[in-house]
Amino acid sequence: MQNILEQYQSVSEDSVSTWFRVGEVSDFPENSGACIKYKTKQIAVYNFTRTSKWYATQNLCPHKMEMVLSLGMIGDKDDIPKVACPMHKKNFSLEDGSNLAGEDLKIATYPVKIEDGNVYIGFAD
Ligand code: FES
């Protein structure tokens, strides 16, 4: 059986081959997440207005394989922006996708850019 996690690989800004437009800035809630679809992937997009930063990660929580991270609470821990999964509250860094409790769980992260009021997410496929 193919591991559903395998399709989610972090993308660095250098390796982007497609900037995929996902909507306008005003389509996204402030200081919260939203879910978009790219090919077969569900991607959670977060708009931190407090720091004027945007983040994108896989929507799939690797703990119990639930598509829920866009519904998680966002905030920061020791200045690291993070999302807390709504199911069992595991915290993931929005910068590198690592589990902030040091557990062996990781989520993929994707670059986001804003241009002329439009939101784009970078993919390598
Ligand atoms: S499913 Fe996300 S923390 Fe358990």
Side-chain angles (χ1 to χ4, degrees):
M1 187 177 91
Q2 204 209 357
N3 184 339
I4 189 173
L5 270 175
E6 280 172 13
Q7 67 173 315
Y8 295 102
Q9 305 285 339
S10 286
V11 175
S12 67
E13 200 134 351
D14 295 346
S15 56
V16 170
S17 58
T18 306
W19 285 104
F20 181 66
R21 183 183 174 279
V22 294
E24 296 179 5
V25 167
S26 58
D27 294 331
F28 291 85
E30 296 188 353
N31 299 308
S32 161
C35 183
I36 64 98
K37 217 167 167 215
Y38 175 72
K39 296 185 178 174
T40 57
K41 300 182 198 1
Q42 281 191 31
I43 304 294
V45 184
Y46 310 94
N47 173 11
F48 266 61
T49 56
R50 189 162 49 87
T51 52
S52 303
K53 288 205 174 146
W54 289 72
Y55 300 93
T57 70
Q58 67 188 50
N59 193 32
L60 180 69
C61 180
H63 178 225
K64 296 284 184 194
M65 299 298 182
E66 302 275 359
M67 289 289 188
V68 290
L69 290 179
S70 64
L71 303 173
M73 287 275 292
I74 61 172
D76 65 76
K77 183 182 181 205
D78 301 333
D79 286 335
I80 300 172
K82 55 128 186 167
V83 59
C85 177
M87 302 298 285
H88 313 99
K89 308 287 183 277
K90 291 195 183 287
N91 285 286
F92 298 94
S93 160
L94 294 176
E95 281 177 345
D96 68 5
S98 59
N99 176 267
L100 293 177
E103 295 173 23
D104 190 22
L105 294 169
K106 199 168 169 57
I107 58 173
T109 59
Y110 302 85
V112 183
K113 75 173 179 183
I114 309 297
E115 249 176 40
D116 299 329
N118 293 302
V119 183
Y120 298 84
I121 299 179
F123 294 99
D125 61 341

